[in-house]
Amino acid sequence: MKIERGDCFMKRIYQKIISMTLIIFLLVFSSSTVFATLDPGTWFMHYKTGVESMYFVKADGTVALGDGINSAIPAGVKEFIIPADVTFFQESGIVHPYGVSSISSNAFFNCKNLRKVYIEGKVSIDEGAFLGLPKETVFVTGNRMTAVALMAAGIPEERITYEAISTKFVALGDSI
C-alpha cells in the first residue's frame, strides 16, 4: 500500500512540474506575440480618454500625439487629456502598449473650442504643436519637465498649472 501511495504522490509531483513548465513556456513565448509593436510611421486612433485622438508610432517605440500634418483631435473638443500611455488593441487580441513621448506639429490645429489640456506624463513638444489653439487655452500638468517644455514652446507661464494629475479611465468597449 505504501508503495502505491508513493507512486501516486510522485506521479502528481511530475504532473505539476510538467504543467508549470508548460505554463512558463507559454508565458515566455506568447508574450512576444501578445505584446507586439506596430511599425514606426504607423498611426492609430485611440479613445482612452473618451475623445477620438490620433497617435503616431515613432522609431524609438513611443508615440506622438498627432502625425505632424493633421489635427490629432476633433475640432469641437473643449477639454482634452494627453495620457502618459496608450494601448492599441488589434482584433486578434494582440495589444500594443506605448508611452506618449511628444506632441507633434499641428496636433491641435483648428481646435478653436479647446479651453483646457491636461498632460499626464513627460512630453516633448514639436514646433507648431499649438497652431490653431485659442490664446486662452490653459495647460495642466503633473510633470515639471513638461511645464518647462510648454514654456519653451511659447505658452505663457500664467496659462500653465503644475499639479499632480491622477486619472482613471474606463473606455467603453474595452475589456475590463
Side-chain angles (χ1 to χ4, degrees), residues 1-156:
M1 215 52 163
K2 290 182 181 180
I3 294 174
E4 289 177 14
R5 284 188 184 186
D7 287 342
C8 187
F9 179 72
M10 291 304 290
K11 187 176 180 179
R12 279 191 260 151
I13 288 177
Y14 288 129
Q15 287 175 337
K16 287 184 180 188
I17 290 172
I18 290 171
S19 297
M20 292 302 290
T21 304
L22 183 59
I23 289 170
I24 291 170
F25 176 80
L26 290 173
L27 286 173
V28 168
F29 288 102
S30 69
S31 66
S32 61
T33 57
V34 174
F35 295 107
T37 58
L38 296 174
D39 293 330
T42 305
W43 65 272
F44 60 92
M45 297 305 278
H46 199 272
Y47 306 89
K48 180 175 185 176
T49 61
V51 174
E52 175 183 76
S53 47
M54 177 196 302
Y55 291 92
F56 185 78
V57 180
K58 298 169 53 173
D60 66 359
T62 63
V63 293
L65 176 66
D67 63 0
I69 300 166
N70 303 297
S71 180
I73 63 173
V77 174
K78 293 182 180 179
E79 289 189 7
F80 184 68
I81 300 170
I82 301 173
D85 58 75
V86 293
T87 304
F88 176 73
F89 297 93
Q90 284 185 328
E91 290 178 16
S92 62
I94 297 175
V95 297
H96 306 271
Y98 296 99
V100 178
S101 64
S102 62
I103 302 172
S104 295
S105 298
N106 297 313
F108 295 104
F109 186 74
N110 206 24
C111 293
K112 296 177 182 8
N113 296 324
L114 193 59
R115 298 293 175 238
K116 189 179 274 189
V117 178
Y118 299 90
I119 305 173
E120 282 189 340
K122 177 184 173 192
V123 295
S124 62
I125 301 168
D126 293 352
E127 185 177 335
F130 302 123
L131 290 175
L133 272 184
K135 298 292 182 203
E136 58 275 357
T137 302
V138 295
F139 295 84
V140 179
T141 183
N143 187 290
R144 291 200 188 278
M145 296 302 291
T146 298
V148 170
L150 287 166
M151 286 186 277
I155 303 298

Side-chain angles (χ1 to χ4, degrees), residues 151-163:
M151 286 186 277
I155 303 298
E157 188 174 353
E158 59 271 6
R159 289 182 25 214
I160 301 169
T161 302
Y162 175 79
E163 62 183 55

